[in-house]
Amino acid sequence: MPFLLTLPRGFSQAISLFNDLEVTQQRAIAESTLLKLFGQKSESKGSQAENDLQEALSFVFRSAETTQASPEQVLEDLQVFTPLSEPSAILLSKFWANRNKYKQPAEGATTSATEQGALLGIDWVLGVSLSSSNCDRLQQPYVAISINVAGRDGQIEAHKLELTITEYLKFKAQLEDVAAALDRS
């Protein structure tokens, strides 16, 4: 079932800019969007055009995540419902196929709990992305989470995540499982 049937106003204009970029620039923006979407990278101060492209790609990736679209479905919908060229659509579907590597820390980057410091709290906000400069009607719900940690050096760090509702529900269930496991021990 198609997941890109309804596109926000201005989406096509923003996404068509992607076709004009060199492949290296397309890869960088797609990677940056996935890293930001899955909480591995905070907000960046890019150009307005770059921010518009990230908003459009975020809409695609969030919609795909919400509907649990396969890479093949992402490719098909991008080709049918957007002005993306075939090579650009293939590139984005490949990034979607490899999205799990953006959800997890890099290989070998494991750390123990004592290296991270103490958990101070978790704050969350439910929001709706209404629009961007080129996408007038995004209307996508999200949950923004800030995990506050005191490092071993005393510095307080805020690790920020932006999750779809589905991702948030999975995250919440995992936290409840951890809390139950801690209560048993």
Side-chain angles (χ1 to χ4, degrees), residues 31-43 99-106 109 159-163:
E31 181 173 54
S32 176
T33 301
L34 282 172
L35 287 170
K36 186 173 125 183
L37 191 64
F38 294 128
Q40 298 287 333
K41 180 180 176 184
S42 61
E43 296 287 326
R99 68 192 173 279
N100 287 336
K101 83 176 193 179
Y102 300 100
K103 292 182 180 182
Q104 304 165 357
H159 301 274
K160 298 182 185 288
L161 304 167
E162 188 174 300
L163 307 172

Side-chain angles (χ1 to χ4, degrees), residues 119-139:
L119 177 64
L120 298 176
I122 299 176
D123 299 318
W124 61 274
V125 174
L126 177 63
V128 177
S129 295
L130 295 176
S131 66
S132 73
S133 59
N134 279 340
C135 297
D136 291 339
R137 294 180 49 219
L138 285 176
Q139 298 177 346

Side-chain angles (χ1 to χ4, degrees), residues 66-120:
T66 300
T67 61
Q68 299 178 345
S70 67
E72 295 78 18
Q73 184 66 50
V74 169
L75 176 60
E76 183 180 331
D77 277 22
L78 288 172
Q79 289 176 325
V80 171
F81 299 109
T82 73
L84 279 174
S85 66
E86 185 175 353
S88 296
I90 290 170
L91 181 126
L92 291 178
S93 70
K94 285 181 180 178
F95 268 92
W96 183 246
N98 294 311
R99 68 192 173 279
N100 287 336
K101 83 176 193 179
Y102 300 100
K103 292 182 180 182
Q104 304 165 357
E107 189 176 322
T110 59
T111 57
S112 72
T114 56
E115 291 175 8
Q116 290 297 314
L119 177 64
L120 298 176

